């Protein structure tokens, strides 16, 4: 297993072993004045219950922060900056519950930005950069609590719909450079808590791999579906996810030195396909034993965290347990 970080101080020796972090696409409406929605609350609870595990939490109101309000959106958008006078942070529902996540020391929020596979006629560079700039401007904002403000800062960007072709290298290098400079200009002191993820959802082409990893903190080299039943969420053609099948060029980088920057996302952890807690444990164990940067499993799509068996509580528990395998070499949880 590759060491991801080599911290020079003996006092931090335990932290020098590579741990797999959680990359959580939290494409969920946060909830109203009184309380968070169950799916959002489950995420907060899991972050709190696993304090030794780092959570990258992707915030996605409506396919990005600048999308107009879309009450019918699958992602439960409602990112409306207008009526309650919140210039950044959509509205008080978002500021209140985002503030609760930012208050947790092991959570790092990332802003969602889609890039239409580098096809600028699908999405202009100005729109993509506009999203990045908007995310960088989330700072503090009023919440539902009278007179209170919350820290709604975003600590990096999750670029989605990333091209896997080397011909897109200049586009993404410019974008990563823009994001880095924009966030650096915002808060140089916070740069320790700043990451750029690229999500091609599959292996970047071999001749793009070195460059894409070099411009990113981490790259999602596989975003896969577990169940064997195709649906709109798991459209054909696909091969159901199995951690045993991961190999260089098939979900893992060709250059295995890059494993520690590689991320694996699995949705549709449902039947048919043998979706039990025991299988989930085996699959998570298989991913973690590779020493990848981060992972996440979910039973539905990215808009639910509470469907069994791969609830966020169970997934976070299993990932934390498997990260600790040296001190706790028990078999799989069942
Ligand atoms: C969740 O997203 C899927 C598509 O990924 C959609 O079919 C479903 O209706 C969504 N559910 C909710 C509650 O928004
Ligand atoms: C906001 O919260 C983050 C932790 O998520 C912290 O690193 C940062 O310093 C906080 N910023 C302010 C202005 O409190
Ligand atoms: C990696 O990025 C640095 C700048 O951040 C650049 O100098 C270097 O040439 C890049 N290497 C590769 C393999 O792309
Ligand atoms: C952007 O910042 C990330 C995180 O610090 C770094 O890994 C990456 O190499 C940078 N990309 C460029 C193009 O400078």
């Amino acid at each position: 297993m590759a060491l991801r970080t080599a911290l020079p101080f003996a006092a931090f020796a335990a932290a020098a072993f590579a741990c797999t972090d959680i990359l959580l696409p939290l494409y969920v409406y946060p909830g109203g004045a009184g309380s968070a929605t169950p799916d959002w609350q489950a995420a907060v609870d899991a972050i709190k219950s696993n304090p030794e595990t780092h959570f990258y939490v992707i915030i996605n109101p409506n396919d990005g922060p600048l999308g107009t309000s879309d009450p019918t959106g699958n992602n439960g958008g409602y990112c409306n900056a207008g009526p309650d006078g919140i210039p950044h942070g959509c509205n008080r529902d978002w500021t209140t519950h985002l503030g609760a996540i930012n208050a947790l020391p092991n959570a790092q929020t990332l802003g969602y930005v889609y890039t239409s596979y580098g096809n600028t006629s699908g999405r202009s560079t100005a729109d993509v950069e506009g999203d990045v700039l908007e995310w960088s401007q989330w700072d503090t904002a009023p919440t539902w609590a009278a007179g209170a403000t919350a820290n709604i800062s975003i600590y990096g960007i999750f670029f989605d719909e990333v091209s896997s072709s080397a011909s897109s290298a200049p586009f993404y290098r410019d974008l990563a450079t823009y994001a880095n400079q924009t966030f650096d200009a915002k808060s140089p002191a916070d740069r320790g808590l700043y990451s750029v993820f690229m999500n091609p959802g599959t292996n970047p082409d071999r001749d793009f791999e070195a460059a894409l990893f070099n411009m990113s903190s981490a790259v999602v080299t596989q975003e896969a579906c577990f169940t064997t039943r195709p649906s709109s969420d798991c459209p054909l053609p696909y091969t159901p996810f199995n951690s045993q099948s991961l190999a260089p060029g098939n979900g893992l980088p060709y250059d295995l030195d890059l494993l520690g920057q590689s991320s694996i996302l699995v949705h549709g952890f449902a039947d048919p396909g043998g979706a039990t807690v025991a299988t989930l444990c085996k699959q998570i164990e298989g991913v973690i034993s590779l020493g990848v940067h981060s992972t996440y499993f979910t039973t539905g799509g990215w808009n639910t965290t509470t469907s069994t068996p791969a609830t966020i509580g169970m997934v976070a528990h299993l990932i934390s347990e498997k990260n600790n395998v040296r001190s706790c070499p028990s078999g799989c949880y069942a």
Side-chain angles (χ1 to χ4, degrees), residues 29-37 40 78 80 82-86 88-100 140-152:
Y29 194 76
S35 58
T37 54
W40 188 279
Y78 314 104
N80 199 339
D84 55 10
I86 308 289
H88 302 295
C90 297
N91 60 37
R92 285 173 203 247
D93 290 352
W94 282 94
T95 60
T96 300
H97 299 295
L98 184 52
T140 55
T143 68
W144 280 119
T149 58
N151 175 354
I152 60 162

Coordinates of all heavy atoms in Angstrom, one line a residue, residues 29-37 40 78 80 82-86 88-100 140-152:
Y29 N -31.4 18.3 -0.5 CA -31.8 19.6 0.0 C -31.6 19.6 1.5 O -31.9 18.6 2.2 CB -33.3 19.8 -0.3 CG -33.7 21.3 0.0 CD1 -33.3 22.3 -0.9 CD2 -34.3 21.6 1.2 CE1 -33.6 23.6 -0.6 CE2 -34.6 23.0 1.5 CZ -34.2 23.9 0.5 OH -34.5 25.3 0.8
P30 N -31.1 20.6 2.1 CA -30.7 20.6 3.5 C -31.8 20.6 4.5 O -31.6 20.0 5.6 CB -29.8 21.8 3.7 CG -30.2 22.7 2.6 CD -30.6 21.9 1.5
G31 N -32.9 21.2 4.2 CA -34.0 21.3 5.2 C -34.3 22.7 5.6 O -33.6 23.6 5.2
G32 N -35.3 22.9 6.4 CA -35.8 24.2 6.7 C -35.2 24.8 8.0 O -34.2 24.4 8.5
A33 N -36.0 25.7 8.5 CA -35.6 26.5 9.7 C -35.4 25.6 10.9 O -34.5 25.7 11.7 CB -36.6 27.6 10.0
G34 N -36.3 24.6 11.1 CA -36.4 23.9 12.3 C -35.3 22.8 12.4 O -34.6 22.7 13.3
S35 N -35.2 22.0 11.3 CA -34.3 20.9 11.3 C -33.9 20.5 9.9 O -34.6 20.9 9.0 CB -35.0 19.7 12.0 OG -36.2 19.4 11.3
A36 N -32.8 19.7 9.9 CA -32.3 19.2 8.6 C -33.3 18.1 8.1 O -33.9 17.5 8.9 CB -30.9 18.7 8.7
T37 N -33.3 17.9 6.8 CA -34.0 16.8 6.2 C -33.3 15.5 6.7 O -32.1 15.5 7.0 CB -34.0 16.8 4.7 OG1 -32.7 16.9 4.2 CG2 -34.9 17.9 4.2
W40 N -29.9 14.7 4.9 CA -28.9 15.7 5.3 C -28.4 15.4 6.7 O -27.2 15.3 7.1 CB -29.4 17.1 5.1 CG -28.3 18.2 5.3 CD1 -27.9 18.7 6.5 CD2 -27.6 18.8 4.3 NE1 -26.9 19.6 6.2 CE2 -26.7 19.7 4.9 CE3 -27.6 18.8 2.9 CZ2 -25.9 20.6 4.2 CZ3 -26.8 19.6 2.2 CH2 -25.9 20.5 2.8
Y78 N -33.6 24.4 -5.6 CA -34.1 25.6 -4.8 C -33.0 26.5 -4.4 O -33.0 27.0 -3.3 CB -34.9 25.1 -3.6 CG -35.9 24.0 -3.8 CD1 -35.6 22.8 -3.4 CD2 -37.1 24.3 -4.4 CE1 -36.5 21.7 -3.5 CE2 -38.0 23.3 -4.5 CZ -37.7 22.0 -4.1 OH -38.6 21.0 -4.3
N80 N -32.0 29.7 -4.5 CA -32.6 30.9 -4.9 C -32.0 32.1 -4.1 O -32.2 32.1 -2.9 CB -34.1 30.9 -4.7 CG -34.8 32.0 -5.5 OD1 -34.1 33.0 -5.9 ND2 -36.0 31.8 -5.8
G82 N -32.5 35.2 -4.1 CA -33.3 36.4 -4.1 C -34.0 36.7 -2.8 O -33.6 37.6 -2.0
P83 N -35.2 36.1 -2.5 CA -36.2 36.6 -1.6 C -35.7 37.0 -0.2 O -36.1 38.0 0.3 CB -37.2 35.5 -1.6 CG -37.0 34.7 -2.8 CD -35.6 34.8 -3.2
D84 N -34.8 36.1 0.4 CA -34.4 36.5 1.7 C -33.1 37.2 1.8 O -32.5 37.3 2.9 CB -34.5 35.2 2.6 CG -33.6 34.1 2.1 OD1 -32.9 34.3 1.1 OD2 -33.7 33.0 2.6
G85 N -32.7 37.7 0.7 CA -31.5 38.6 0.7 C -30.2 38.0 1.1 O -29.4 38.7 1.7
I86 N -30.0 36.8 0.7 CA -28.7 36.1 1.0 C -27.9 36.2 -0.3 O -28.2 35.6 -1.3 CB -28.9 34.7 1.3 CG1 -29.9 34.5 2.5 CG2 -27.6 34.0 1.7 CD1 -29.4 34.9 3.8
H88 N -24.9 35.1 -1.1 CA -24.2 33.9 -1.4 C -24.7 32.8 -0.4 O -25.0 33.2 0.7 CB -22.7 34.0 -1.3 CG -22.1 35.0 -2.1 ND1 -22.1 35.0 -3.5 CD2 -21.5 36.2 -1.8 CE1 -21.5 36.0 -4.0 NE2 -21.1 36.8 -3.0
G89 N -24.9 31.6 -0.9 CA -25.4 30.6 0.0 C -26.8 30.2 -0.3 O -27.4 29.5 0.5
C90 N -27.4 30.7 -1.4 CA -28.7 30.3 -1.8 C -29.8 30.9 -1.0 O -30.6 31.8 -1.4 CB -28.9 28.8 -1.9 SG -27.8 28.0 -3.1
N91 N -30.0 30.4 0.2 CA -31.1 30.9 1.1 C -30.7 30.4 2.5 O -29.7 29.7 2.7 CB -32.4 30.4 0.7 CG -32.6 28.9 0.6 OD1 -32.0 28.2 1.5 ND2 -33.3 28.4 -0.4
R92 N -31.6 30.8 3.5 CA -31.2 30.4 4.9 C -31.3 29.0 5.2 O -30.7 28.5 6.2 CB -32.1 31.2 5.8 CG -31.7 32.7 5.9 CD -32.7 33.5 6.7 NE -32.6 34.9 6.3 CZ -32.1 35.9 7.1 NH1 -31.8 35.6 8.3 NH2 -32.0 37.1 6.6
D93 N -32.0 28.2 4.4 CA -32.0 26.7 4.6 C -30.6 26.2 4.3 O -30.0 25.4 5.1 CB -33.0 26.0 3.6 CG -34.4 26.3 4.0 OD1 -34.7 26.9 5.1 OD2 -35.3 25.9 3.2
W94 N -30.0 26.7 3.2 CA -28.6 26.2 2.9 C -27.6 26.8 3.9 O -26.7 26.1 4.4 CB -28.3 26.7 1.5 CG -28.9 25.8 0.4 CD1 -30.1 26.0 -0.2 CD2 -28.4 24.5 0.0 NE1 -30.4 24.9 -1.0 CE2 -29.4 24.0 -1.0 CE3 -27.3 23.7 0.2 CZ2 -29.2 22.8 -1.6 CZ3 -27.1 22.5 -0.4 CH2 -28.1 22.1 -1.4
T95 N -27.7 28.1 4.2 CA -26.7 28.6 5.1 C -26.7 28.0 6.5 O -25.7 27.7 7.1 CB -26.8 30.2 5.3 OG1 -28.1 30.4 5.9 CG2 -26.7 30.9 4.0
T96 N -27.9 27.7 7.0 CA -28.1 27.1 8.3 C -27.4 25.7 8.4 O -26.6 25.4 9.3 CB -29.6 27.0 8.7 OG1 -30.1 28.3 8.7 CG2 -29.7 26.4 10.1
H97 N -27.7 24.9 7.4 CA -27.3 23.5 7.5 C -25.9 23.3 6.9 O -25.2 22.4 7.4 CB -28.3 22.6 6.8 CG -29.7 22.7 7.5 ND1 -29.9 22.3 8.8 CD2 -30.9 23.3 7.1 CE1 -31.1 22.6 9.1 NE2 -31.8 23.1 8.1
L98 N -25.5 24.1 6.0 CA -24.1 24.1 5.6 C -23.2 24.6 6.7 O -22.1 24.0 6.9 CB -23.9 25.0 4.3 CG -22.6 25.1 3.7 CD1 -22.1 23.7 3.3 CD2 -22.7 25.9 2.4
G99 N -23.6 25.5 7.4 CA -22.9 26.0 8.6 C -22.6 24.9 9.6 O -21.6 24.7 10.2
A100 N -23.7 24.0 9.7 CA -23.5 22.9 10.7 C -22.5 21.9 10.2 O -21.7 21.3 11.0 CB -24.9 22.2 10.8
T140 N -19.4 34.0 5.1 CA -20.3 33.9 6.2 C -21.7 34.5 5.8 O -21.7 35.4 4.9 CB -19.8 34.6 7.5 OG1 -19.6 36.0 7.1 CG2 -18.6 34.0 8.0
A141 N -22.7 34.0 6.3 CA -24.1 34.5 5.9 C -25.0 34.2 7.1 O -24.8 33.4 7.9 CB -24.5 33.7 4.7
P142 N -26.1 35.0 7.1 CA -27.1 34.9 8.2 C -27.8 33.5 8.0 O -28.0 33.0 6.9 CB -28.1 36.0 7.9 CG -27.8 36.6 6.6 CD -26.4 36.2 6.2
T143 N -28.2 33.0 9.2 CA -29.0 31.7 9.2 C -30.4 32.0 9.7 O -30.8 33.1 9.9 CB -28.3 30.7 10.2 OG1 -28.4 31.2 11.5 CG2 -26.8 30.6 9.8
W144 N -31.1 30.9 9.9 CA -32.5 31.0 10.5 C -32.5 31.5 11.9 O -33.5 32.1 12.4 CB -33.2 29.7 10.3 CG -33.8 29.5 9.0 CD1 -33.5 28.4 8.1 CD2 -34.7 30.3 8.2 NE1 -34.2 28.5 6.9 CE2 -34.9 29.6 7.0 CE3 -35.4 31.5 8.5 CZ2 -35.8 30.2 6.0 CZ3 -36.2 32.0 7.5 CH2 -36.4 31.3 6.3
A145 N -31.4 31.2 12.6 CA -31.3 31.7 14.0 C -31.2 33.2 14.1 O -30.3 33.8 13.4 CB -30.2 31.0 14.7
A146 N -32.0 33.8 14.8 CA -32.1 35.3 14.8 C -30.7 35.9 15.2 O -30.1 35.5 16.2 CB -33.1 35.8 15.9
G147 N -30.2 36.7 14.3 CA -29.0 37.4 14.6 C -27.7 36.6 14.4 O -26.6 37.1 14.5
A148 N -27.9 35.3 14.0 CA -26.7 34.5 13.9 C -26.2 34.4 12.5 O -27.0 34.5 11.5 CB -27.0 33.1 14.4
T149 N -24.9 34.2 12.3 CA -24.3 33.9 11.0 C -23.6 32.6 11.1 O -23.2 32.2 12.2 CB -23.3 35.1 10.5 OG1 -22.3 35.2 11.5 CG2 -24.0 36.4 10.3
A150 N -23.4 32.0 9.9 CA -22.6 30.7 9.9 C -21.5 30.8 8.9 O -21.6 31.7 7.9 CB -23.6 29.6 9.5
N151 N -20.5 30.0 9.1 CA -19.4 29.8 8.1 C -19.9 28.9 7.0 O -20.1 27.7 7.2 CB -18.3 29.2 8.9 CG -17.1 28.8 8.1 OD1 -17.1 29.0 6.9 ND2 -16.0 28.4 8.7
I152 N -20.1 29.5 5.8 CA -20.6 28.7 4.7 C -19.5 28.6 3.6 O -19.8 28.3 2.5 CB -21.9 29.3 4.1 CG1 -21.6 30.8 3.5 CG2 -23.0 29.3 5.0 CD1 -22.6 31.3 2.5

